[in-house]
């Protein structure tokens, strides 16, 4: 992230993907716990929004608060920048509950996917 969202985290850390360089606001992060990779986060910081391209955790790390922690960091950063956050979510993805709990609203039904939006 721009430096603050993961830095605030006490439980997980992150680092850039090997060989990844930020381009046009796009960054890829490897999420780590005790130095071991447990997931990834790809984000595109656009002029008017932050678009989550991908957020994924290894199965054994799902449902343990890590996703909530990552998302709070993303939302904190967007709030500070005065930008909304959008993500496409498969309609049957269990993470949909997390996004709704964090205040995301469905703004468009795209068949298999739902476009979700959070506003600061």
């Amino acid at each position: 992230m721009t430096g603050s969202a993961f830095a605030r985290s006490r439980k997980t850390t992150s680092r850039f993907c090997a060989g990844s360089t930020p381009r046009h606001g796009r960054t890829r992060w490897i999420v780590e716990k005790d130095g071991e990779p447990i997931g990834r986060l790809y984000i595109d910081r656009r002029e008017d929004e932050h678009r989550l391209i991908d957020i994924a955790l290894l199965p054994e790390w799902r449902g343990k608060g890590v996703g909530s922690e990552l998302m709070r960091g993303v939302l904190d950063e967007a709030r500070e920048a005065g930008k909304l956050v959008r993500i496409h979510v498969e309609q049957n993805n269990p993470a949909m509950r997390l996004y709704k709990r964090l205040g995301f609203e469905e703004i468009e039904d795209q068949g298999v996917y739902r476009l979700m939006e959070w506003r600061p």
Side-chain angles (χ1 to χ4, degrees):
M1 306 222 140
T2 57
S4 61
F6 286 116
R8 292 183 197 145
S9 169
R10 289 183 224 126
K11 298 176 186 171
T12 58
T13 59
S14 65
R15 62 177 170 80
F16 277 110
C17 291
S20 173
T21 50
R23 280 185 251 173
H24 310 290
R26 297 179 192 149
T27 52
R28 297 181 291 171
W29 294 89
I30 298 296
V31 180
E32 298 178 337
K33 175 74 172 167
D34 299 326
E36 294 295 319
I38 64 169
R40 67 179 179 249
L41 174 67
Y42 299 171
I43 189 166
D44 184 4
R45 291 176 192 82
R46 300 174 181 183
E47 186 174 322
D48 59 342
E49 71 179 75
H50 286 185
R51 179 70 60 110
L52 284 173
I53 305 301
D54 188 32
I55 181 171
L57 295 171
L58 293 173
E60 59 269 26
W61 289 99
R62 297 175 191 159
K64 296 184 178 187
V66 176
S68 296
E69 181 181 358
L70 293 172
M71 288 303 301
R72 280 192 294 275
V74 169
L75 300 181
D76 286 349
E77 179 182 307
R79 184 180 295 108
E80 290 171 9
K83 295 183 180 183
L84 54 87
V85 178
R86 289 185 176 157
I87 185 172
H88 285 94
V89 184
E90 289 182 352
Q91 62 183 349
N92 296 322
N93 185 334
M96 182 74 80
R97 291 187 310 272
L98 167 64
Y99 302 131
K100 288 182 178 181
R101 190 171 66 242
L102 292 172
F104 280 80
E105 295 181 3
E106 182 180 323
I107 61 167
E108 190 175 326
D109 180 341
Q110 299 177 334
V112 174
Y113 295 97
R114 303 294 188 261
L115 179 59
M116 306 293 290
E117 180 179 271
W118 174 91
R119 292 184 171 270

